[in-house]
Amino acid sequence: MYKKAQLQVLHHSVAMLSFYCSDAVLEIAFTMCEEDCVDQIFGAIGMERSRNSRQERLLWLGKRFAHSYPHHGGSLAVIAYALHCRPIFSLQRTKFCCERALKMDLTSITGWQVLAELRVSEKSLSSVQLCVTRGQEAICHFRNAYGFSLKVAELRLQLVLANAHLASESHDESAKIFSNIAESAGKLEDAEAARVKFAAVEGLIKICLAKELFEEAECKLEELLALDANNHWALAELGWLVFQRGNIDNACTLLVEAVHGQPDIASYHYRLGLIYWKAGDIVQSHKEKAVEQFILTVKLDPSNGDAYHFLGNYYNLSARDKQRAAKCYQKCVTLNPEDSEAGESLCDILDSGGQETLEAVICHDASQKSRRAFWAWRRMGYIQVQQKKWSDAVGSLQYAIRGYPTCADLWEALGLSYQQLGMLTAAIKAYGRAIAIEGGPHVFPLIQSGNIFLLLGSYRKAIEQFQLGLEFAPQNLAAQYGLASAMLGMSKECRALGAFGWAANLTKEASEIAFASCLMFGNVAAVWKLLGDIQVDYVHCLPWEKEGESFGNESEAFSYSVCSWKQQRISKAVNAKRAYQHALHLSPWQANLYKDIAISIDLINYLHGNEMSDENSWCLAEVMALGALMLESNNAELWINMGCLSKQKAIQQHAFIRALQVNGFNALAWAHLGKLYLRECQRDLARQAFDHARSADPLLAISWAGMSVHDHCEGSKVLLEAFASCLYAVQLLPVAEFQLGLGKLAASTGQLQSSKVLAALEQAVQHSPQCPESHNLSGLVWESRRYFLHAILSYKRARYAMQHFGGQSKSLSYHDVSLNLARALCQAGKAKDAVNECENLEKAGMLGSEGLQMYAAALWQIGKDDLSLEMVNKAVTISKENIKASTIGLVCKLVYQISGQVSAMTKLLKTPRDILTDSNFSLTAFAIAILDCNGRFPMFLSENFNLFFLHERSPKLYSLLAAGKQLSESANIRSGVQNAELVLRKALHMHPQSTLIRNQLGFHLLSMRGKSSHIAVRCSCRDLDISPSVQGSTSTPAMLGAAAISCSNCGTRNFRITFSTCTNEGVDGVNVILQLQRWFHLEPWNDTAWYLLILNIFQKAREEKYPNHLCRVIKQLVSSVRWNLFFNKGGDNCPYKGFQLLLCISEIYLQSGDYSGSLKHAISASQLHVSDGMLFFAHLQLARCYASQQDLTSLHNEYKKCLQLRTDCEIGWITLGLLEARYFLQGQNNTAAINHELFLNKRDNAQNSWMALLEVVRGQGFIWHEDFQSAEEALVQACSMWPEEGCLHLIHGAICMELARQSSRSEFLYMAKRSLLKAQDIGHSALPMVSLLLAQAEASIDRKKAKWERNLRLEWSAWPADMKPAELLFQMHLLAVQSRGMSERENDRPECSKSSRSWLLLALHLNPSCSRYWEALKQVLKCM
């Protein structure tokens, strides 16, 4: 009956809609299409074809009534459904139609279903859920209104929701919905329900595929095919799974069936084509079948780019049809710009066809369509590099690297682009990334990196890069050329630094590499030119090597050595000329090669010593230079070269002026022009030219050297300026000509002791050993530094050079060198040899006044006193007025040495008074007068006071006067030191800038056992000027170094490590170490600098509790070589200094835990020949070593030795007393204390402070033995002896606090309070722990909270921020607890900055082993 009623309703609805417009009737008709089991009803009204299809029913109704009812929502929904059912549909158009239908009719089930499916394609899960919910509301509406079932329609909505979950990868949720749908649809006997069930099963299969559960998916597909053997989707999916398993035949069969079942689905054809393509590797005919399937695929789905990809591969690789392949690839790239294989293949085809522009356009389009089309960016970058569009290439390559970070070619291209843009650092990094990528040889980035480093002047890195490149490609010309060029550049750099030996070795190795390149690539002119440049550089940097000190005494050996050196240079110069000639034959149009040949010819002539006799004739070098100018007449460098090579002054001037016409800012042209004017004595023009050169290029050495010569010609007023200019020129370009000039200026200005002058002249000797002046000036430098043996050797070489190579000039003759040699021999103690030299000079008639003085000194040294006086008197008679004073001074010295002080004083009184104005003679006269024992010195001084003290050397006279005052009190040394100190103080007021007076006064103050060390530091000159002229212990750094170690507090500046208790301000120990390091760096041979540096570092190490790094530094400074040299020198101070160093090293080893090393050095110290007072400390150190090893027997023996030796140094007895108390060495007798007390009583000024420290030592011993009562008595005695020392009161207060704790007696608390109050009042600065102990004592006595709080706050301010102890933090916790509820104005107190719990936690962090803190923390946690 229900079916009949439905049929009648459908008949009436269709009939009414044919002639009457009714929305309700149309709504019923469309809803009837969604109803269950209505296939027979629609068939009864003429729809036999669509009996089993809901889709056909809706389309049939839509075709009949949609045009009649265009404004009805159901009609528009059916139209949207029709659009959605098309194989290719417009999403936006369908969506618009559907949304408009739902606006008209919200109860359209079809409309909500179509919109939900569209939302699924947009992957909007929330929108799908909303559409499904609205669709279910529409179904409920029709059920309630018309009694429809609509179960299948509801399942279709659930199916859409399940697909939405599947699209959002919510697999569990979608599986649950699909299972429910399949179960519900299985209960219905409708064809539409069966279709829904199949769709649900397909969804479950898709979930299995998504989860990669292929076996389960295959089983379900087989179950699906068992229900419907013609299900094309199941056949296609099963075939694909079988294909993935490798069963190509079965897969092919299944997909063929799927294609026959549904030939309009492109994906089936594509998969079948893939299978045929795979099988085509075995059977070629399958390739054609695959192509047919791909063609069908693109016909059905033109948007399938992968099919075009395979078609392109077929036409490109198999059919060899490049044109069709290019079209397929282009279509593939258009559809899928990220297909790198297709894109690369397309670009290869276009590149082979020369279609570079089209290739660039395609890459550009692909890169614009997708930012992930990295292949397009890479190809476009390569094209831009090829087109030299470097800026564009950088952007493309950078983007391509994101997709191909391990592509070495990309990094190489990027590095090349950076390099061409001048971004060298970025280029180096890019090449480095290319080199770091594993793979084949990276020759190109290595060579390019080397070229960049070569351009930047980083020759060492360039050499490394080129060497790595040659490892990959040993015969690569670019790598060989680059390596040789880098070695040449590094050689020039070493030559500029003075490392000529190293430069020669580098040049020699570079020459070998360049010669090998010439053999392999002989037709490359650049290689021959490089070889010539290397040979020329080798000529300039090859040093003359001294083959040993012995050969310097043999003239023939010296000559042979110099001639061999010259022959080597000539040979290399000839080879350079030949190399340039080879290059010229290959490239005759290059003007620079003519210039190089001209330079090499001129160099050969210079080395042979050939000079043109006729200045008007043209030499070969000038002809070659002229040939270069014929090729490039506008080249300024060639004009300069012409001017330098020409011997004609007119041509020189013309060439330099012509160079300036080409380039007016050419500094080299100006400099050579100034040099030419200077030779012509046109000084004004020369100065103007040199000024122009220096303004154009301040780093041009020749201009500074020229100015030096100009200033030297001006006279003595500007000699220092000339010396400074020449020194700067030598630093810029160390050539022999400049270095010899520097030596001459140093001799004129008194700068011979400068280390820079020494280095320059040593280099001059290496480059011009045939020049006598170089050896002579070197001898003068060594003589000024008091290295007389070196000076003698240099003077002898100068004479050998004159004998074999000539070289005498107006400024230097053979007799001048002989005179210098005689003087050096005399000063070196070789008096007989000096006498022989002087006799030879006398025979030659070349012995002047200075020679006679030297002759006299040498005769006196060998004991010929009468002849010595005769010679010196002869010198007086023939001496000129300017040197007469020095001659008379020598007479006085000889008389003093021969006849004694009385005769010398008598001779001095007879000398004319005007001679006393000479500064040198006044020093001699003053020194002799000071030593007068007959009382004539005061009268002599008063008569000639104005003559003595009115010249620049008066500070030295005061220094001598102080020394005389000290020597006059030989019976009372201390009185003599005090008198000398008074003289120096007065002298300092008159000469406050005198470093000599300041340093001498500082050492006098330091001699008072360090008590005035802080005053000595203040006396020193703060503006330290360390120079090699400063000698020995009179220098400012030496005085500061001695002051820093004379007082234990002088170096204490780091209060994080220790607290200072000294009232005087000492020197900054760190700054002193820096100054000593600088001094030692300037004078590495200076033993005093080395000695003081070690002691100051040891002082710093002691202050910082001997950290490992400082111990290592001291051990490195005391190296075996330097140590042996120090002890082999001998001297008066050597045993004392060696003794000190041995004890320091022993202490370092002792603190480091190396007891054997400490014992070894202490034993070495005890074996030195020093006084008993010093040996006391060696045995004391041995005792400490044995104590550390618990060797009590040896300790007792060393203790007895100390008592036998005794010492006058208080700290020795203090340390011995500590050992005695610690190890019960003498029971209760306190032998060390008794000996020390006896020693102090013998002294005139027995110091109560040392006696007080002895009592402290006794108290320490009692504390070790826990006898606090006796310790308290000892500290009472110490406080009475030294009441102004707050530390003693602090110790006494602490002991009293301990006694009060042990005995619970209040009188000890009162005693502690009194001592701690004294310590608090006396101290110049707040001592640590004083206020803390005082707070505890006062809290225990009267329990007054205010005093306790005040003392705790004082204690808090006494400690640095990062040194607060745990007990102080704990007390602040207690104070914070007491301060709760404090008013706002009191919140700035320190305890209010943290909570009580925070204070307690900080205390526990510093001292976690204290049980009191943990108990307090428990109480705090209970209260929280």
Side-chain angles (χ1 to χ4, degrees), residues 1243-1264:
R1243 293 178 55 177
D1244 296 336
N1245 54 342
Q1247 299 179 8
N1248 291 334
S1249 59
W1250 289 109
M1251 297 300 296
L1253 290 178
L1254 279 175
E1255 295 298 328
V1256 173
V1257 169
R1258 290 180 58 240
Q1260 179 65 58
F1262 292 134
I1263 292 174
W1264 279 334

Side-chain angles (χ1 to χ4, degrees), residues 456-477:
L456 295 175
S458 299
Y459 301 113
R460 189 184 301 275
K461 294 182 180 179
I463 290 172
E464 293 175 359
Q465 298 298 315
F466 288 126
Q467 287 177 341
L468 290 174
L470 286 174
E471 290 180 4
F472 292 110
Q475 296 184 353
N476 188 287
L477 175 60

Side-chain angles (χ1 to χ4, degrees), residues 159-430:
L159 187 64
V160 175
L161 182 60
N163 288 326
H165 282 292
L166 180 60
S168 62
E169 297 183 357
S170 299
H171 296 147
D172 295 336
E173 186 67 25
S174 61
K176 185 187 300 183
I177 298 173
F178 279 133
S179 299
N180 294 333
I181 294 172
E183 183 179 355
S184 301
K187 298 178 181 179
L188 301 177
E189 297 178 356
D190 188 10
E192 284 296 326
R195 295 189 187 94
V196 173
K197 180 180 179 180
F198 277 114
V201 174
E202 290 177 4
L204 291 172
I205 294 172
K206 291 178 181 178
I207 292 173
C208 293
L209 294 174
K211 292 183 176 181
E212 297 183 356
L213 302 174
F214 300 120
E215 294 181 359
E216 184 177 349
E218 190 173 347
C219 293
K220 290 186 178 182
L221 285 170
E222 291 176 352
E223 292 176 2
L224 190 60
L225 288 174
L227 297 175
D228 183 6
N230 297 323
N231 190 314
H232 56 85
W233 181 85
L235 289 170
E237 293 296 331
L238 183 60
W240 189 248
L241 287 176
V242 172
F243 170 70
Q244 290 179 338
R245 284 210 319 263
N247 193 343
I248 297 177
D249 295 335
N250 292 340
C252 186
T253 302
L254 291 170
L255 276 168
V256 168
E257 291 180 7
V259 167
H260 287 306
Q262 189 65 33
D264 296 333
I265 299 179
S267 62
Y268 297 169
H269 292 281
Y270 175 71
R271 288 184 175 182
L272 183 58
L274 287 178
I275 293 173
Y276 281 136
W277 187 269
K278 182 70 175 179
D281 296 337
I282 303 172
V283 181
Q284 184 63 28
S285 60
H286 287 176
K287 289 280 188 180
E288 285 75 9
K289 293 181 180 181
V291 170
E292 293 176 2
Q293 296 299 322
F294 289 140
I295 291 174
L296 291 173
T297 301
V298 298
K299 287 181 178 180
L300 294 171
D301 184 10
S303 63
N304 192 325
D306 294 337
Y308 284 108
H309 183 181
F310 283 103
L311 286 173
N313 288 344
Y314 173 75
Y315 292 127
N316 185 28
L317 302 176
S318 299
R320 303 295 180 181
D321 189 348
K322 300 294 184 182
Q323 186 174 1
R324 299 181 71 177
K327 290 181 180 180
C328 292
Y329 284 139
Q330 188 173 357
K331 186 66 175 178
C332 175
V333 169
T334 303
L335 295 171
N336 183 15
E338 298 178 12
D339 192 339
S340 59
E341 185 180 350
E344 293 286 354
S345 300
L346 175 60
C347 291
D348 290 339
I349 293 172
L350 296 176
D351 189 56
S352 62
Q355 296 176 307
E356 184 178 309
T357 304
L358 181 58
E359 181 183 357
V361 170
I362 290 173
C363 292
H364 180 267
D365 293 342
S367 63
Q368 295 302 314
K369 288 180 180 179
S370 174
R371 286 293 180 182
R372 297 187 61 81
F374 299 112
W375 66 270
W377 292 104
R378 178 168 64 177
R379 277 288 185 167
M380 190 161 54
Y382 290 159
I383 293 171
Q384 290 164 346
V385 167
Q386 187 177 1
Q387 295 175 349
K388 297 183 180 180
K389 298 179 181 179
W390 308 113
S391 299
D392 299 336
V394 167
S396 301
L397 294 170
Q398 284 178 339
Y399 208 94
I401 284 173
R402 299 180 186 180
Y404 305 101
T406 58
C407 180
D409 294 338
L410 272 176
W411 287 108
E412 292 176 7
L414 181 61
L416 180 61
S417 301
Y418 280 136
Q419 184 177 354
Q420 296 298 327
L421 291 173
M423 304 168 67
L424 301 182
T425 304
I428 290 172
K429 292 181 180 179

Side-chain angles (χ1 to χ4, degrees), residues 1092-1133:
L1092 290 175
L1093 178 61
I1094 293 175
L1095 291 186
N1096 275 271
I1097 296 177
F1098 176 80
Q1099 179 88 338
K1100 182 177 176 60
R1102 181 190 62 81
E1103 174 193 342
E1104 298 183 5
K1105 309 302 181 185
Y1106 300 96
N1108 292 330
H1109 68 282
L1110 290 180
C1111 294
R1112 286 196 301 269
V1113 168
I1114 295 175
K1115 292 177 182 178
Q1116 290 172 0
L1117 280 172
V1118 189
S1119 60
S1120 58
V1121 176
R1122 185 60 190 259
W1123 186 266
N1124 294 332
L1125 288 175
F1126 177 76
F1127 278 97
N1128 291 335
K1129 280 187 177 180
D1132 297 335
N1133 292 329

